[in-house]
Amino acid sequence: MASGTVLRGRGVSPGSVAAPVRHLAPALPEPDAGVTVPVEERETEASAIEWAAVAVADQLRSRTAQATGEARAILDASRLLASDPELVSEATALVRAKGRSAARAVWETAGAHEKSLAALGGRMAERVADIRDVRDRIIAEILEVDMPGVPESDEPFVLVAVDLAPADTAALEGGQCVALVTEQGGPTSHTAIIARSLGLPAIVGVAGATAIPDEAVLLVDGEHGTAEVDPAESSIAAAIAAATVVPFDGEGALGDGRPLALLANVGGAADAVNAAAAHADGVGLFRTEFCFLDRVDAPSVEEQVAAYRGVLAAFPGRKVVVRTLDAGSDKPLPFANADHEGNPALGVRGLRIARRTPALLDDQLRALAQATEAESAQVEVMAPMVATVEEARDFADRARAAGLSRVGIMIETPSAALLAAELFEIVDFVSLGTNDLAQYTLAADRLLSELGDLNDPWQPAVLRLIGMVGEAGRAAGKAVGVCGEAGGDPALAPVLIGLGVTSLSMTPRSLGRVAAAVAEVTEDDCRRAAHAVLATGTAAEARAAASAVLPGRGRA
Ligand code: PEP
Ligand code: MG
C-alpha cells in the first residue's frame, strides 16, 4: 500500500496517534485428527511438545516479571499451567501411543482437562479459559504461528482487525495497543464503547484495513475517521496537536448560569477512578455487565458487592446510576442467556432475562443495596431494555423491596419512549439509551458499520421520541438523563437540553468539550434549537437547523 494512502471509516473514539500496525491473529484451527505420525518419528514429535511447553513457560515468566496487579496474577496462573507436568506427559503419551501430531495431542489433552474442570463448576469452571489460553500458546509455538488474539508487544502498536470480540477488547487494558482500526463494527458497538473508555482512538468500518501490511506506520484520527499509511512526520505532529483532550473543571453549567450535571459512563472501579480524576459530577451509567463479561457462572452476591463498592467509593456523596445487567445481543453473558437466538437484539436481553431467572435480578439488587449501605454515594438503580409498563412496575417493585430508594428505567425502545408519561407514574427518573433507541427506531443493527448513518441520534425520528420523553419528564417534574453516546456529542448537547434532558452522561474524555459547548448557550437557545430540529425530516437537516439557530455555537 503506497505511503500517504488514506483509508476512511467511522471515527468512534477521538484522539490521534501514529504507530506501527499489528494484526489481530486469527483463531487456531483445530489440528487434524486424521494424521498419524510414523512410529520412528514419534519421539521427535513428542519432544516438540516438551520444548514448546518450556518456551511458553519462559515467555510467560518474563512477561509476569514485567506485569503488575491483576495482569501479573493472570500471567502467573498461565505460566503454572504451561509448566504442568500432567498436561505435557499426557500429550506426549498420546503422540507415542497413538501417533497423534504434537499439536493434535495438546489439543485433545487440553480438551479432556477442560471437560473435567467444567464438570466441577464454580470457580474451577472459569479456569477453562486459562487452559485454552495455554493450549493455544503451546500449539502456536509448535506450529510457529502467531498466538491468536491481540498481539503481545513491548512496543506501542495500532491493532487492525476485521472486528473484535469482547474478550479481545478486554485484553487491551494495560497493553501496548494505542489505537484500533476495524473493517466491521458500528459506532455504538461495544468495541467502540470500550475504546472510548480506555481512551484509545478508534475507527470502525474501514474497508481494506486488513490489507495494510504489518509494521506500516498508521496515523489514526479517531475524530475524523481517517487512517493514513506511512504519513509524513509533519502530518503526525499536526494531527496529534489537534486532538488534545479539553480539560473539564467539574462545573457543568449553561451560559445563563443554569447548572447541568455532566456525568460519566463507567464499566468498573478503574473507570470510575479515571472519571473522578476527570472531574465528572457523578456516574450517569455504570454498565455492571462489564464487570462480569468473562464469567461462566453468575457472580455471587459478595463478589457483586465488592465490584459495586469499587465504583461507589470513587464518588463519595455523589450520584451514581447503576444499571442492572444488560446481558445478551452484543454483550453476551453465558450465565445469563446462553441461547443462540435468531435475532439477539430483539431477544431475551436486558431486563427480559428476569422473566427466566428472577433470582439473578434479585441477587443483583440485594448486592447493590448492600454496597449502597456500605458507601456514601447517592445510588440510583435502573433497568435496561424496558418496553412495557408492566416490566417497569415489576422492576420498581423488586428494586424498592430490596431497599433501593431511587428507581428508574432506561428508555431504549420506541415503546418506552411513547409510554413515557405512564412510566413516570412508576419510576423516579429515566435515562435515554440513545444507542439502542436509534437501533430500534431505525430498525438498524448497531453493530453494522454499513448502517452507521441510520444509527444516528440526529435522525429526526429519534429526536422526536427524545422530545416526547423530555416533555413527559417536564410535566412529571422528574429527571431525564441521556447516557447513550449522544450524551457526549458537543453539537447535540444544546438540542438535548432544549428537548427536556436534565443531565448528560458520557465517556470522561468528552466532558471538557461538552462543558465548553453548553457554556456558550442559554436555556432559551436550547429550546429554540430543539424546536428547529423537531421540524426537520432528515438527519442532515436536523444538524443544519441546530447550527443555524446556534451559529458558531455548540461545536467545540
Ligand atoms: C444505550 O443503548 O444507549 C446504552 C447506553 O446502553 P448500551 O450502549 O450499554 O446498550
Ligand atoms: Mg443499551
Side-chain angles (χ1 to χ4, degrees), residues 90-114:
E90 286 170 25
T92 50
L94 264 184
V95 176
R96 292 194 180 101
K98 301 206 171 143
R100 296 275 194 277
S101 70
R104 179 73 202 178
V106 173
W107 183 275
E108 285 184 18
T109 311
H113 282 234
E114 272 173 31

Side-chain angles (χ1 to χ4, degrees), residues 323 326 331 349 384 410 412 433 435-436 446:
R323 174 172 78 184
D326 186 21
K331 289 165 287 188
R349 65 165 293 204
M410 291 186 73
E412 304 191 280
N435 308 336
D436 277 319
R446 65 192 258 188

Side-chain angles (χ1 to χ4, degrees), residues 267-340:
D271 280 0
V273 169
N274 285 343
H279 302 119
D281 211 10
V283 170
L285 170 64
F286 171 15
R287 290 183 164 101
T288 54
E289 64 281 358
F290 277 26
C291 299
F292 309 114
L293 279 178
D294 56 346
R295 296 293 301 262
V296 177
D297 287 328
S300 68
V301 169
E302 294 69 39
E303 278 175 83
Q304 294 190 56
V305 173
Y308 306 155
R309 285 189 65 180
V311 170
L312 303 189
F315 285 94
R318 299 300 182 98
K319 168 155 119 169
V320 176
V321 183
V322 182
R323 174 172 78 184
T324 54
L325 293 174
D326 186 21
S329 191
D330 53 336
K331 289 165 287 188
L333 284 186
F335 63 83
N337 175 6
D339 293 0
H340 288 287

Side-chain angles (χ1 to χ4, degrees), residues 388-399:
T388 68
V389 168
E390 289 94 327
E391 284 171 343
R393 190 173 292 123
D394 180 62
F395 176 74
D397 288 348
R398 285 174 190 276

Side-chain angles (χ1 to χ4, degrees), residues 191-224:
T191 297
I193 291 168
I194 288 179
R196 281 189 286 266
S197 88
L198 293 176
L200 296 178
I203 316 177
V204 299
V206 183
T210 52
I212 304 171
D214 235 344
E215 300 301 336
V217 171
L218 202 60
L219 171 57
V220 179
D221 180 343
E223 180 93 53
H224 301 102

